[in-house]
Amino acid sequence: MKHRDAMLAALVMGLAVTCAHAQDADPARLQLEVAAGVQVQATLQDDGGIAVVLAPSGKRQVLPGVTDADGNARLSAEDVDFDGYPELVARAAVGMVNEAVAVYRYVPARQELVALAPIPNDRAQCGDLMGLTVEEDNRTLSSSCRSGPMWYVDQYRYDGGRLYLYRAERMLMLDDVLEPYVFVKQTADSGPLAVWSTFDPDGNVLETAIGDGLETPRAGSPLLRISGHVMVARLPLYSQPGDATTKRYLVRDDRVELLDERDGWVQVRYDNPTRGAVLGWVNTQP
């Protein structure tokens, strides 16, 4: 399922669940066990904050929370860090399709709830945790958001207690300039091309691949590269973006995989029958 559809489905299901249980439980209150023997009573306040009482310590906190345009939010208990105990999660609609999310984890050393914040990384498209989904099977968090006409997904994983950006995408507007050189077959359901990147906990890029910007790669699996075929008789293949000369070239109908993009230059991989994998950069704006 493309993540634009998954996000809308999640929002609809969330609203349906809220309505279904409105008569059975107070949506402004939640009780949960955040660690062995540690209970939390959370109550939404009129200003959008969350009043918290921890037991048996009796410690009190007021957390910022999140709210929609009418000052509403909903609380839930979700195991966001995969330790077997739930975190306190606040969710609120933002605009027509986005959802703001705040997550609070219990820190035993401080005996209080602390906001979960990823390690800052300017390559995250959504910024904060938005439309959060918890993927227990591969221990990954997905943050989804819409900006203008585009949907984005940031994927996060833990390194010890640190939450880091594991995968993100960067949308490309290359279709028209790329097609005269490398043709990529697309269908009516295809999204715009995007560079997907996988990062290590320190923010270093481990792999990149150009693929469908609306098709989220499966976490834990290698990125899938979209392929195309060369459209011109001879297509120069450069070692680096910006190079002026090269002795290498591809020929018409060579099939290549698309790996990365930089300032209009596209990195491709060609499997040479005798020499194996050949990497290089194609200039789409000569």
Side-chain angles (χ1 to χ4, degrees):
M1 178 184 292
K2 293 184 183 296
H3 56 252
R4 57 181 174 182
D5 300 325
M7 179 63 180
L8 289 172
L11 287 173
V12 171
M13 290 178 64
L15 291 173
V17 170
T18 300
C19 294
H21 292 283
Q23 296 179 347
D24 300 328
D26 185 348
R29 294 178 180 272
L30 181 69
Q31 185 169 340
L32 62 158
E33 185 179 36
V34 294
V38 180
Q39 299 287 332
V40 167
Q41 178 72 49
T43 305
L44 283 173
Q45 298 182 311
D46 292 339
D47 62 358
I50 307 171
V52 169
V53 180
L54 290 87
S57 69
K59 186 170 186 175
R60 296 176 179 270
Q61 295 179 256
V62 178
L63 308 173
V66 292
T67 61
D68 62 17
D70 297 321
N72 300 317
R74 65 183 188 276
L75 301 179
S76 60
E78 305 175 42
D79 186 3
V80 174
D81 60 4
F82 312 107
D83 67 349
Y85 289 96
E87 278 64 57
L88 173 62
V89 180
R91 297 175 180 268
V94 180
M96 295 296 294
V97 294
N98 286 325
E99 181 186 58
V101 180
V103 178
Y104 298 95
R105 304 169 71 193
Y106 178 69
V107 178
R110 297 170 57 173
Q111 296 187 21
E112 64 181 10
L113 297 183
V114 176
L116 175 64
I119 299 171
N121 190 321
D122 59 10
R123 286 164 290 194
Q125 294 292 335
C126 297
D128 298 325
L129 298 177
M130 302 282 289
L132 185 68
T133 57
V134 180
E135 302 172 24
E136 185 176 358
D137 60 337
N138 50 45
R139 303 176 71 85
T140 302
L141 306 181
S142 290
S143 175
S144 305
C145 63
R146 180 174 177 174
S147 178
M150 300 297 182
W151 283 92
Y152 299 94
V153 169
D154 300 320
Q155 293 183 323
Y156 293 90
R157 281 186 162 180
Y158 288 94
D159 176 46
R162 304 187 307 161
L163 185 65
Y164 72 95
L165 183 65
Y166 163 66
R167 270 189 181 154
E169 60 182 315
R170 176 170 56 88
M171 291 292 180
L172 301 176
M173 299 299 176
L174 282 179
D175 297 41
D176 292 339
V177 296
L178 178 63
E179 187 171 332
Y181 305 100
V182 178
F183 176 75
V184 176
K185 184 178 180 180
Q186 294 182 290
T187 69
D189 293 329
S190 299
L193 296 179
V195 177
W196 287 93
S197 300
T198 303
F199 307 97
D200 69 12
D202 295 322
N204 301 308
V205 177
L206 298 177
E207 62 172 339
T208 61
I210 294 179
D212 190 327
L214 298 181
E215 195 72 45
T216 307
R218 177 171 174 77
S221 299
L223 292 172
L224 298 178
R225 307 155 180 165
I226 201 167
S227 63
H229 63 268
V230 175
M231 298 291 291
V232 295
R234 289 167 62 100
L235 181 62
L237 190 64
Y238 298 90
S239 296
Q240 295 292 334
D243 283 356
T245 61
T246 181
K247 294 182 179 180
R248 301 188 302 165
Y249 59 90
L250 300 168
V251 299
R252 182 179 284 116
D253 292 331
D254 279 348
R255 180 157 294 277
V256 295
E257 295 178 328
L258 280 59
L259 306 181
D260 201 356
E261 184 274 343
R262 194 182 306 166
D263 298 327
W265 293 70
V266 176
Q267 187 183 37
V268 300
R269 169 189 167 127
Y270 169 64
D271 286 326
N272 186 291
T274 58
R275 297 171 53 193
V278 176
L279 300 180
W281 292 82
V282 172
N283 185 5
T284 66
Q285 302 174 18

